[in-house]
Amino acid sequence: SKTPPIPPDAEFAYSGKYPLSRQLLVYVGLEPGKQVDPLRAEFIRYMFSRPGQKAVARDGYLPIQPAVAKSVLESAGVLAPPGVSSSP
């Protein structure tokens, strides 16, 4: 039997079911055990802020989900900008 086509909707992109979706990665050079310097921390906060995510959407990408943003910011040791929480 044939698998039905998967529509290119945000739901399927976020879940990974849409085969042509991918994550965009940003790498920040940081020595182990060191904290993120203030300039890099501010850039990281901007990427996950409302204005940063509006820019992402304006360029045709899907914004990151709040729970994922919070997890990434915590793992980087950066405080979340206003509006980023673990609740959807």
Coordinates of all heavy atoms in Angstrom, one line a residue:
S1 N 0.8 -1.2 0.0 CA 0.0 0.0 0.0 C 0.9 1.2 0.0 O 2.0 1.2 0.5 CB -0.9 0.0 1.2 OG -0.3 0.4 2.4
K2 N 0.4 2.3 -0.6 CA 1.1 3.5 -0.7 C 0.9 4.4 0.6 O -0.2 4.5 1.1 CB 0.5 4.3 -1.9 CG 1.6 5.0 -2.7 CD 1.0 5.6 -3.9 CE 2.1 6.3 -4.7 NZ 1.6 6.9 -5.8
T3 N 2.0 5.0 1.0 CA 1.9 5.9 2.1 C 1.3 7.2 1.7 O 1.7 7.8 0.7 CB 3.3 6.2 2.7 OG1 3.9 5.0 3.0 CG2 3.3 7.1 3.9
P4 N 0.3 7.8 2.4 CA -0.3 9.0 2.0 C 0.7 10.2 2.1 O 1.6 10.1 3.0 CB -1.5 9.2 3.0 CG -1.2 8.4 4.1 CD -0.3 7.2 3.7
P5 N 0.6 11.2 1.3 CA 1.5 12.3 1.3 C 1.3 13.1 2.6 O 0.3 13.1 3.2 CB 1.1 13.2 0.1 CG -0.2 12.7 -0.3 CD -0.4 11.3 0.2
I6 N 2.4 13.6 3.1 CA 2.4 14.4 4.3 C 2.4 15.9 3.9 O 3.3 16.4 3.2 CB 3.6 14.1 5.2 CG1 3.6 12.6 5.6 CG2 3.7 15.0 6.4 CD1 4.9 12.2 6.3
P7 N 1.4 16.6 4.4 CA 1.3 18.0 4.0 C 2.4 18.9 4.7 O 2.9 18.5 5.8 CB -0.1 18.5 4.6 CG -0.5 17.4 5.5 CD 0.3 16.2 5.2
P8 N 2.9 19.9 4.0 CA 3.9 20.7 4.5 C 3.4 21.7 5.6 O 3.5 22.9 5.4 CB 4.5 21.4 3.3 CG 3.3 21.6 2.4 CD 2.5 20.3 2.6
D9 N 2.9 21.2 6.6 CA 2.3 22.1 7.7 C 3.4 22.2 8.9 O 4.2 21.3 9.1 CB 1.0 21.5 8.3 CG -0.1 21.5 7.3 OD1 -0.1 22.3 6.4 OD2 -1.0 20.6 7.4
A10 N 3.2 23.2 9.6 CA 4.1 23.4 10.8 C 4.1 22.2 11.7 O 5.1 21.8 12.2 CB 3.8 24.7 11.5
E11 N 2.9 21.7 12.0 CA 2.8 20.5 12.9 C 3.7 19.4 12.5 O 4.4 18.8 13.3 CB 1.3 20.1 12.9 CG 1.1 18.7 13.5 CD -0.3 18.2 13.3 OE1 -1.2 18.9 12.7 OE2 -0.6 17.1 13.7
F12 N 3.7 19.1 11.2 CA 4.6 18.0 10.7 C 6.0 18.3 10.7 O 6.9 17.5 10.8 CB 4.0 17.5 9.4 CG 2.7 16.9 9.4 CD1 1.6 17.6 8.8 CD2 2.4 15.8 10.1 CE1 0.3 17.1 8.9 CE2 1.1 15.3 10.2 CZ 0.1 15.9 9.6
A13 N 6.3 19.6 10.4 CA 7.7 20.0 10.4 C 8.3 20.0 11.9 O 9.4 19.4 12.1 CB 7.9 21.4 9.9
Y14 N 7.5 20.5 12.9 CA 8.0 20.4 14.2 C 8.1 19.0 14.7 O 9.1 18.7 15.5 CB 7.0 21.2 15.2 CG 7.1 22.7 15.1 CD1 6.0 23.4 14.8 CD2 8.3 23.3 15.3 CE1 6.1 24.8 14.8 CE2 8.4 24.7 15.3 CZ 7.3 25.4 15.0 OH 7.4 26.8 15.0
S15 N 7.3 18.1 14.3 CA 7.3 16.7 14.8 C 8.4 15.9 14.1 O 8.8 14.8 14.5 CB 6.0 16.0 14.6 OG 5.7 15.8 13.2
G16 N 8.9 16.4 13.0 CA 9.9 15.7 12.2 C 9.3 14.7 11.2 O 10.0 14.0 10.5
K17 N 8.0 14.7 11.1 CA 7.3 13.8 10.1 C 7.4 14.3 8.7 O 7.4 13.5 7.8 CB 5.9 13.6 10.5 CG 5.7 12.8 11.8 CD 4.3 12.6 12.2 CE 4.2 11.9 13.5 NZ 2.8 11.8 14.0
Y18 N 7.5 15.6 8.5 CA 7.6 16.2 7.1 C 9.1 16.0 6.7 O 10.0 16.4 7.3 CB 7.2 17.6 7.1 CG 7.2 18.2 5.7 CD1 6.2 17.7 4.8 CD2 8.1 19.0 5.2 CE1 6.2 18.2 3.5 CE2 8.1 19.5 3.9 CZ 7.1 19.1 3.0 OH 7.1 19.5 1.7
P19 N 9.3 15.2 5.6 CA 10.7 14.8 5.3 C 11.6 15.9 4.8 O 12.8 15.7 4.8 CB 10.5 13.8 4.2 CG 9.1 14.1 3.6 CD 8.3 14.7 4.7
L20 N 11.1 17.1 4.5 CA 11.9 18.1 4.0 C 12.2 19.2 5.0 O 12.6 20.3 4.7 CB 11.3 18.8 2.7 CG 11.2 17.8 1.5 CD1 10.6 18.5 0.3 CD2 12.6 17.2 1.1
S21 N 11.9 19.0 6.3 CA 12.2 20.0 7.3 C 13.5 19.7 7.9 O 14.0 18.6 7.9 CB 11.1 19.9 8.4 OG 11.1 18.7 9.0
R22 N 14.1 20.7 8.4 CA 15.4 20.6 9.1 C 15.6 21.7 10.1 O 14.9 22.7 10.0 CB 16.6 20.6 8.1 CG 16.7 21.9 7.4 CD 17.9 21.8 6.4 NE 17.9 23.0 5.6 CZ 18.6 24.1 5.8 NH1 19.3 24.2 6.9 NH2 18.6 25.1 5.0
Q23 N 16.5 21.5 11.1 CA 16.8 22.5 12.0 C 17.9 23.4 11.5 O 18.8 22.9 10.8 CB 17.2 21.9 13.4 CG 16.1 21.1 14.0 CD 16.5 20.5 15.3 OE1 17.6 20.6 15.8 NE2 15.5 19.9 16.0
L24 N 17.9 24.6 11.9 CA 19.0 25.5 11.7 C 19.9 25.6 12.9 O 19.3 25.8 14.0 CB 18.6 26.9 11.3 CG 17.7 27.0 10.0 CD1 17.2 28.4 9.8 CD2 18.5 26.5 8.8
L25 N 21.1 25.3 12.8 CA 22.0 25.3 14.0 C 22.9 26.5 14.1 O 23.4 27.0 13.1 CB 22.8 24.0 14.0 CG 22.0 22.7 13.9 CD1 23.0 21.5 13.8 CD2 21.1 22.5 15.1
V26 N 23.2 27.0 15.3 CA 24.1 28.0 15.5 C 25.1 27.5 16.5 O 24.8 27.0 17.6 CB 23.4 29.3 16.1 CG1 24.4 30.4 16.5 CG2 22.4 29.8 15.1
Y27 N 26.4 27.7 16.2 CA 27.4 27.2 17.1 C 28.1 28.4 17.6 O 28.4 29.4 16.9 CB 28.5 26.4 16.3 CG 27.9 25.1 15.8 CD1 27.3 24.9 14.6 CD2 27.9 24.0 16.7 CE1 26.8 23.7 14.2 CE2 27.4 22.7 16.3 CZ 26.8 22.6 15.0 OH 26.3 21.4 14.6
V28 N 28.4 28.4 18.9 CA 29.1 29.5 19.6 C 30.4 28.9 20.2 O 30.3 27.9 21.0 CB 28.2 30.1 20.7 CG1 29.0 31.1 21.5 CG2 27.0 30.6 20.2
G29 N 31.5 29.3 19.8 CA 32.8 28.8 20.3 C 32.9 29.2 21.8 O 32.9 30.4 22.1
L30 N 33.1 28.2 22.6 CA 33.2 28.5 24.1 C 34.1 27.4 24.7 O 33.9 26.2 24.4 CB 31.8 28.4 24.7 CG 31.7 28.8 26.1 CD1 32.0 30.3 26.3 CD2 30.2 28.6 26.6
E31 N 35.0 27.9 25.5 CA 35.9 26.9 26.2 C 35.1 26.2 27.2 O 34.3 26.8 27.9 CB 37.1 27.6 26.8 CG 38.1 28.2 25.7 CD 39.3 28.8 26.4 OE1 39.8 28.3 27.4 OE2 39.7 29.9 25.9
P32 N 35.4 24.9 27.4 CA 34.7 24.1 28.5 C 34.9 24.8 29.8 O 36.0 25.2 30.2 CB 35.3 22.7 28.4 CG 35.9 22.6 27.1 CD 36.3 24.0 26.7
G33 N 33.8 24.9 30.6 CA 33.8 25.5 31.9 C 33.7 27.0 32.0 O 33.7 27.6 33.0
K34 N 33.8 27.6 30.8 CA 33.7 29.1 30.8 C 32.2 29.5 30.5 O 31.5 28.8 29.9 CB 34.6 29.6 29.6 CG 36.0 29.3 29.8 CD 36.7 30.5 30.4 CE 38.2 30.1 30.5 NZ 39.0 31.3 30.7
Q35 N 31.9 30.7 31.0 CA 30.6 31.3 30.7 C 30.6 32.0 29.4 O 31.6 32.5 28.9 CB 30.2 32.2 31.8 CG 29.9 31.5 33.1 CD 29.2 32.5 34.1 OE1 29.4 33.7 34.0 NE2 28.6 32.0 35.1
V36 N 29.4 32.1 28.8 CA 29.2 32.9 27.6 C 29.5 34.4 27.9 O 28.9 34.9 28.9 CB 27.8 32.7 27.0 CG1 27.6 33.6 25.8 CG2 27.5 31.3 26.7
D37 N 30.3 35.0 27.1 CA 30.6 36.5 27.3 C 29.3 37.3 27.0 O 28.4 36.8 26.3 CB 31.8 36.9 26.5 CG 31.5 36.8 25.0 OD1 30.9 37.8 24.4 OD2 31.8 35.8 24.4
P38 N 29.2 38.5 27.6 CA 28.0 39.3 27.5 C 27.5 39.6 26.1 O 26.3 39.6 25.8 CB 28.4 40.6 28.2 CG 29.5 40.2 29.1 CD 30.2 39.1 28.5
L39 N 28.4 39.8 25.1 CA 28.0 40.1 23.7 C 27.4 38.9 23.1 O 26.3 39.0 22.5 CB 29.2 40.6 22.9 CG 28.9 41.0 21.5 CD1 27.9 42.2 21.4 CD2 30.2 41.4 20.7
R40 N 28.0 37.8 23.2 CA 27.4 36.5 22.7 C 26.1 36.2 23.4 O 25.2 35.7 22.7 CB 28.4 35.4 22.8 CG 29.5 35.5 21.8 CD 30.4 34.2 21.9 NE 31.5 34.4 20.9 CZ 32.7 34.1 21.2 NH1 33.1 33.6 22.4 NH2 33.6 34.2 20.2
A41 N 26.1 36.4 24.7 CA 24.8 36.1 25.4 C 23.7 36.9 24.9 O 22.6 36.5 24.8 CB 25.1 36.3 26.9
E42 N 24.0 38.2 24.7 CA 22.9 39.1 24.2 C 22.4 38.7 22.8 O 21.2 38.7 22.5 CB 23.4 40.5 24.1 CG 22.3 41.6 23.8 CD 21.2 41.5 24.8 OE1 21.4 41.3 26.0 OE2 20.0 41.8 24.3
F43 N 23.4 38.3 21.9 CA 23.0 37.8 20.6 C 22.1 36.5 20.7 O 21.1 36.4 20.0 CB 24.2 37.5 19.7 CG 23.9 36.9 18.4 CD1 23.2 37.7 17.4 CD2 24.1 35.6 18.1 CE1 22.9 37.2 16.2 CE2 23.8 35.1 16.9 CZ 23.2 35.9 15.9
I44 N 22.5 35.6 21.6 CA 21.7 34.4 21.8 C 20.3 34.7 22.3 O 19.3 34.2 21.8 CB 22.5 33.4 22.7 CG1 23.8 32.9 22.1 CG2 21.6 32.2 23.1 CD1 24.7 32.2 23.0
R45 N 20.3 35.6 23.3 CA 18.9 36.0 23.8 C 18.1 36.7 22.7 O 16.9 36.4 22.6 CB 19.1 37.0 24.9 CG 19.3 36.4 26.3 CD 19.1 37.4 27.4 NE 20.2 38.3 27.5 CZ 21.4 38.1 28.1 NH1 21.6 36.9 28.7 NH2 22.3 38.9 28.1
Y46 N 18.7 37.5 21.8 CA 18.0 38.1 20.7 C 17.4 37.0 19.8 O 16.3 37.1 19.4 CB 18.8 39.1 19.9 CG 18.1 39.5 18.7 CD1 17.1 40.4 18.8 CD2 18.4 39.0 17.4 CE1 16.4 40.8 17.6 CE2 17.7 39.3 16.3 CZ 16.7 40.3 16.4 OH 16.0 40.6 15.3
M47 N 18.2 36.0 19.5 CA 17.7 35.0 18.6 C 16.4 34.3 19.1 O 15.6 34.0 18.3 CB 18.8 33.9 18.4 CG 20.0 34.3 17.5 SD 21.1 32.9 17.1 CE 21.4 32.1 18.7
F48 N 16.3 34.2 20.4 CA 15.2 33.5 20.9 C 14.1 34.5 21.4 O 13.0 34.0 21.9 CB 15.6 32.6 22.1 CG 16.4 31.4 21.6 CD1 17.8 31.4 21.8 CD2 15.8 30.4 21.0 CE1 18.6 30.4 21.3 CE2 16.6 29.3 20.5 CZ 17.9 29.3 20.7
S49 N 14.3 35.8 21.3 CA 13.3 36.8 21.7 C 12.2 36.9 20.7 O 12.3 36.4 19.6 CB 14.0 38.1 21.9 OG 14.3 38.6 20.6
R50 N 11.1 37.5 21.1 CA 10.0 37.8 20.2 C 10.5 38.5 18.9 O 10.1 38.0 17.8 CB 8.9 38.5 20.9 CG 8.1 37.7 21.8 CD 6.9 38.4 22.4 NE 6.2 37.6 23.3 CZ 5.9 37.9 24.6 NH1 6.2 39.2 25.0 NH2 5.3 37.1 25.4
P51 N 11.2 39.6 19.0 CA 11.7 40.2 17.8 C 12.6 39.3 16.9 O 12.5 39.3 15.7 CB 12.5 41.5 18.2 CG 12.0 41.7 19.6 CD 11.6 40.4 20.2
G52 N 13.4 38.5 17.6 CA 14.3 37.6 16.8 C 13.5 36.5 16.1 O 13.8 36.2 15.0
Q53 N 12.5 36.0 16.8 CA 11.7 35.0 16.2 C 10.7 35.5 15.1 O 10.4 34.9 14.1 CB 10.9 34.2 17.2 CG 11.8 33.3 18.1 CD 12.5 32.3 17.3 OE1 11.9 31.4 16.7 NE2 13.8 32.4 17.2
K54 N 10.3 36.8 15.2 CA 9.6 37.5 14.2 C 10.4 37.6 12.9 O 9.9 37.4 11.8 CB 9.0 38.8 14.6 CG 7.9 38.7 15.6 CD 7.4 40.1 15.9 CE 6.2 40.0 16.9 NZ 5.6 41.3 17.3
A55 N 11.7 37.9 13.1 CA 12.6 38.0 12.0 C 12.8 36.6 11.3 O 12.8 36.5 10.1 CB 14.0 38.5 12.4
V56 N 12.8 35.6 12.1 CA 12.9 34.2 11.6 C 11.7 33.9 10.7 O 11.8 33.4 9.6 CB 13.0 33.2 12.7 CG1 12.8 31.8 12.3 CG2 14.4 33.3 13.4
A57 N 10.5 34.2 11.2 CA 9.2 33.9 10.5 C 9.2 34.8 9.3 O 8.7 34.3 8.2 CB 8.1 34.2 11.4
R58 N 9.6 36.1 9.3 CA 9.6 37.0 8.2 C 10.4 36.4 7.0 O 10.1 36.6 5.9 CB 10.0 38.4 8.6 CG 9.9 39.4 7.6 CD 10.3 40.8 8.1 NE 11.6 40.8 8.6 CZ 11.9 41.1 9.9 NH1 10.9 41.4 10.8 NH2 13.1 41.1 10.4
D59 N 11.5 35.7 7.4 CA 12.4 35.1 6.4 C 11.9 33.8 5.9 O 12.6 33.1 5.1 CB 13.8 35.0 6.9 CG 14.5 36.4 7.0 OD1 14.0 37.4 6.3 OD2 15.5 36.5 7.7
G60 N 10.7 33.3 6.3 CA 10.1 32.1 5.8 C 10.4 30.9 6.6 O 10.0 29.8 6.2
Y61 N 11.0 31.0 7.8 CA 11.3 29.8 8.6 C 10.2 29.8 9.7 O 9.5 30.7 10.0 CB 12.7 29.9 9.3 CG 13.8 29.9 8.3 CD1 14.3 31.1 7.8 CD2 14.2 28.7 7.8 CE1 15.4 31.1 6.9 CE2 15.3 28.7 6.8 CZ 15.8 29.9 6.4 OH 16.8 29.8 5.4
L62 N 10.1 28.6 10.3 CA 9.2 28.4 11.5 C 9.9 28.9 12.7 O 11.1 28.5 12.9 CB 8.8 27.0 11.6 CG 7.9 26.4 10.5 CD1 7.7 24.9 10.7 CD2 6.6 27.1 10.4
P63 N 9.3 29.6 13.6 CA 9.9 30.0 14.9 C 10.1 28.8 15.8 O 9.4 27.8 15.7 CB 9.0 31.0 15.5 CG 7.7 30.8 14.8 CD 7.9 30.2 13.5
I64 N 11.1 28.9 16.6 CA 11.4 27.8 17.6 C 10.3 27.7 18.6 O 9.7 28.8 19.0 CB 12.8 28.0 18.2 CG1 13.2 26.7 18.8 CG2 12.8 29.1 19.2 CD1 14.7 26.6 19.1
Q65 N 10.0 26.5 19.1 CA 9.0 26.4 20.1 C 9.5 26.8 21.4 O 10.7 26.6 21.7 CB 8.5 24.9 20.2 CG 7.8 24.5 18.9 CD 7.5 23.0 18.9 OE1 8.3 22.2 19.2 NE2 6.3 22.7 18.5
P66 N 8.7 27.5 22.3 CA 9.1 28.1 23.5 C 9.9 27.1 24.5 O 10.9 27.4 25.0 CB 7.9 28.6 24.2 CG 7.0 28.9 23.0 CD 7.3 27.8 22.0
A67 N 9.4 25.9 24.6 CA 10.0 24.9 25.5 C 11.4 24.5 25.0 O 12.3 24.4 25.8 CB 9.1 23.7 25.6
V68 N 11.6 24.5 23.7 CA 12.9 24.2 23.1 C 13.8 25.3 23.3 O 15.0 25.2 23.7 CB 12.8 23.8 21.6 CG1 14.1 23.6 20.9 CG2 11.9 22.6 21.4
A69 N 13.3 26.5 23.1 CA 14.1 27.7 23.3 C 14.6 27.8 24.8 O 15.8 28.1 25.0 CB 13.3 29.0 23.0
K70 N 13.7 27.6 25.7 CA 14.1 27.6 27.1 C 15.2 26.6 27.4 O 16.1 26.9 28.1 CB 12.8 27.4 28.0 CG 13.1 27.5 29.5 CD 11.8 27.3 30.2 CE 12.0 27.6 31.7 NZ 12.7 26.6 32.4
S71 N 15.0 25.4 26.9 CA 16.0 24.3 27.1 C 17.4 24.7 26.6 O 18.4 24.5 27.2 CB 15.5 23.0 26.5 OG 16.5 22.0 26.5
V72 N 17.4 25.3 25.4 CA 18.7 25.6 24.7 C 19.3 26.8 25.5 O 20.5 26.7 25.8 CB 18.4 26.1 23.3 CG1 19.7 26.7 22.7 CG2 18.0 24.9 22.4
L73 N 18.5 27.8 25.9 CA 19.1 28.9 26.7 C 19.6 28.4 28.0 O 20.7 28.8 28.4 CB 18.0 30.0 26.9 CG 17.6 30.7 25.6 CD1 16.4 31.5 25.8 CD2 18.8 31.6 25.2
E74 N 18.9 27.5 28.7 CA 19.4 27.0 30.0 C 20.7 26.2 29.8 O 21.7 26.3 30.5 CB 18.4 26.1 30.6 CG 17.2 26.9 31.2 CD 16.1 26.0 31.7 OE1 16.1 24.8 31.5 OE2 15.2 26.6 32.3
S75 N 20.8 25.4 28.7 CA 22.0 24.6 28.5 C 23.2 25.5 28.1 O 24.3 25.1 28.4 CB 21.8 23.6 27.4 OG 21.7 24.2 26.1
A76 N 22.9 26.7 27.6 CA 24.0 27.6 27.2 C 24.3 28.5 28.4 O 25.3 29.3 28.3 CB 23.6 28.5 26.0
G77 N 23.5 28.4 29.5 CA 23.8 29.3 30.7 C 23.4 30.7 30.4 O 24.0 31.6 31.0
V78 N 22.4 30.9 29.6 CA 21.9 32.3 29.2 C 20.5 32.4 29.7 O 19.7 31.5 29.5 CB 22.0 32.5 27.7 CG1 21.4 33.9 27.3 CG2 23.4 32.3 27.2
L79 N 20.2 33.5 30.4 CA 18.8 33.8 30.9 C 17.9 34.0 29.7 O 18.3 34.7 28.7 CB 18.8 35.0 31.8 CG 19.5 34.8 33.1 CD1 19.5 36.2 33.9 CD2 18.9 33.7 34.0
A80 N 16.7 33.4 29.8 CA 15.7 33.6 28.7 C 15.2 35.0 28.6 O 15.0 35.7 29.6 CB 14.6 32.6 28.9
P81 N 15.0 35.5 27.4 CA 14.3 36.8 27.2 C 12.9 36.7 27.6 O 12.3 35.6 27.7 CB 14.5 37.1 25.8 CG 14.6 35.8 25.1 CD 15.2 34.9 26.1
P82 N 12.2 37.9 27.9 CA 10.8 37.8 28.3 C 10.0 37.1 27.2 O 10.2 37.3 26.0 CB 10.4 39.3 28.3 CG 11.7 40.0 28.6 CD 12.8 39.2 27.9
G83 N 9.0 36.3 27.6 CA 8.1 35.7 26.7 C 8.6 34.3 26.3 O 7.9 33.5 25.6
V84 N 9.7 33.8 26.8 CA 10.2 32.5 26.5 C 10.0 31.7 27.8 O 10.6 32.0 28.8 CB 11.7 32.4 26.1 CG1 12.1 31.0 26.0 CG2 11.8 33.1 24.8
S85 N 9.2 30.7 27.8 CA 8.9 29.9 29.0 C 8.8 28.4 28.6 O 8.8 28.1 27.4 CB 7.7 30.3 29.7 OG 6.5 30.1 28.9
S86 N 8.6 27.6 29.6 CA 8.4 26.2 29.2 C 7.0 25.8 28.8 O 6.7 24.7 28.4 CB 8.8 25.3 30.4 OG 8.1 25.6 31.5
S87 N 6.1 26.8 29.0 CA 4.7 26.5 28.6 C 4.5 26.9 27.1 O 5.1 27.9 26.7 CB 3.7 27.2 29.5 OG 4.0 28.6 29.4
P88 N 3.6 26.2 26.4 CA 3.4 26.5 25.0 C 2.7 27.8 24.8 O 2.0 28.4 25.6 CB 2.6 25.4 24.4 CG 2.2 24.5 25.6 CD 2.9 25.0 26.8

